[in-house]
Amino acid sequence: MAVLVTGGAGYIGSHMVLALTDAGQDVVVLDNLTTGFAWAIAPQAKLVQGDIGDEALVEHIIKTHNVDAVVHFAGSIVVPESVVDPLGYYLNNTVKSRALMAAVVKAGVRNFIFSSTAAVYGNPKTQPVFETELPSPISPYGTSKLMTEMMLRDSHLAYGLNYVALRYFNVAGADPKGRSGQSTPRATHLIKVACQTVLGQRASMDVFGTDYDTHDGTCLRDYIHVSDLISAHMDALAYLRKGGESGIFNCGYGKGYSVLEVIGAVEKAFGGPVNKKLVPRRAGDPAAIVAGASRVREILGWEPKYADLDLIVNSALAWERHLQRRNAA
Ligand code: UFG
């Protein structure tokens, strides 16, 4: 019995592979290595370099490795990029997920865990936002993921494919044992960018929009440590294997921090200022989004261990220093 992890060479996927192999499970990774790194994959896992849209390949992997569960991370993840290239996002995130699911259904695998996103909510009517709120994405990224959720719902009803879709809020931080972290050199995510700036890898960083309707005018987000996010996946896997009901779960802590507060946390962790410029809003950004995250605790039994912004920022900064040392060597 093995778990197929798509996108297992990427930031979040590589942490899942570590958690699975740490737990002694057999893992096969399918990744095309366009944004991921082979070195990020735990050595006990097997890597197949290929495309999730290749149905014959996916079926072959499932049969040869006796796969009983698929955890699907592969996809494109940058909100503003999706605004500029919507069809690229619909191809990578929706069309290819459809192909992957077709192969999974055909091969008879019943358990499927999907990386969805808080971006499906768009600008939510309530804060915190619960899973019961009607999704209303404001970026092609959010729409591309919502369409996959819909395909899962329909495939569950039609073919008995059991699934858990996890709606991630803002994922950050790195493996506490220092084995993986956010490694994309041109990453666009706030904590990574702020860490790169404070370490002198960028001359300065932009703060996108200071006129939002929030306490300091910058956007509010719910930052979740990557290791806590992964423990929700491990809970979801155990839940599905035990025959749990398919469903959708928010993954966040239920507390929002502004862009300026996050930059402040990076300054505190580093002990010096982040050189920043206040610039106009970025396309596709909701003002605020904070998770209503009781369902994941109640139904999946999730218990986060790193729910602290300073912890998250410290681990992200430690990983950035590690990358800097490695690149200099
Ligand atoms: N930001 C800056 N400067 C930067 C980078 C980001 O001001 O250099 C701001 C953004 O404008 C936004 C906030 O920081 O207000 C967070 O931006 P990120 O790019 O870090 O993350 P997003 O909120 O755009 O998106 C992330 C994930 C999505 C997920 C979403 C859920 O990439 O997959 O969080 O809230 F859906």
Side-chain angles (χ1 to χ4, degrees), residues 29-290:
V29 170
L30 175 59
D31 199 301
N32 62 11
L33 299 182
T34 53
T35 54
F37 305 95
W39 58 255
I41 301 171
Q44 303 92 322
K46 164 139 184 52
L47 167 66
V48 177
Q49 190 174 346
D51 200 294
I52 58 161
D54 183 341
E55 288 183 41
L57 175 64
V58 173
E59 269 188 75
H60 177 75
I61 294 170
I62 289 172
K63 290 199 177 118
T64 6
H65 294 273
N66 193 21
V67 169
D68 81 312
V70 174
V71 192
H72 176 32
F73 294 95
S76 301
I77 58 157
V78 180
V79 175
E81 189 179 68
S82 78
V83 177
V84 178
D85 181 23
L87 295 181
Y89 270 65
Y90 292 127
L91 174 62
N92 277 347
N93 290 354
T94 313
V95 175
K96 290 190 180 182
S97 289
R98 187 233 159 252
L100 172 71
M101 285 164 55
V104 165
V105 167
K106 199 162 162 210
V109 174
R110 302 295 290 267
N111 303 316
F112 197 98
I113 299 173
F114 172 56
S115 301
S116 189
T117 170
V120 301
Y121 294 115
N123 269 308
K125 289 195 191 68
T126 55
Q127 299 289 357
V129 59
F130 289 92
E131 296 88 345
T132 42
E133 173 141 339
L134 207 59
S136 184
I138 58 168
S139 66
Y141 170 68
T143 309
S144 71
K145 290 281 187 173
L146 180 60
M147 289 196 278
T148 303
E149 283 190 6
M150 290 169 162
M151 292 191 287
L152 283 169
R153 177 199 61 198
D154 296 342
S155 299
H156 172 63
L157 294 173
Y159 318 117
L161 177 66
N162 299 317
Y163 73 95
V164 164
L166 297 172
R167 290 181 176 163
Y168 305 171
F169 283 64
N170 287 57
V171 188
D175 174 44
K177 292 188 182 147
R179 298 170 294 177
S180 191
Q182 170 58 274
S183 306
T184 319
R186 281 170 299 284
T188 57
H189 291 102
L190 176 64
I191 292 181
K192 169 95 179 172
V193 169
C195 289
Q196 288 180 324
T197 309
V198 86
L199 291 176
Q201 294 164 23
R202 297 174 188 241
S204 72
M205 65 171 289
D206 293 332
V207 174
F208 296 119
T210 51
D211 58 349
Y212 286 98
D213 185 16
T214 59
H215 64 275
D216 65 11
T218 64
C219 290
L220 290 188
R221 295 287 183 275
D222 186 341
Y223 294 88
I224 173 171
H225 194 290
V226 64
S227 298
D228 278 339
L229 179 74
I230 290 308
S231 74
H233 289 70
M234 295 298 281
D235 293 338
L237 182 61
Y239 170 84
L240 282 177
R241 279 176 167 163
K242 273 191 306 207
E245 270 294 301
S246 294
I248 293 173
F249 301 86
N250 284 344
C251 289
Y253 297 138
K255 186 162 168 46
Y257 291 94
S258 73
V259 173
L260 291 177
E261 285 167 342
V262 170
I263 293 174
V266 173
E267 291 177 329
K268 185 170 135 196
F270 179 74
V274 171
N275 191 10
K276 59 183 185 294
K277 291 186 186 135
L278 308 181
V279 302
R281 294 179 177 200
R282 190 176 76 171
D285 275 342
I289 179 145
V290 176

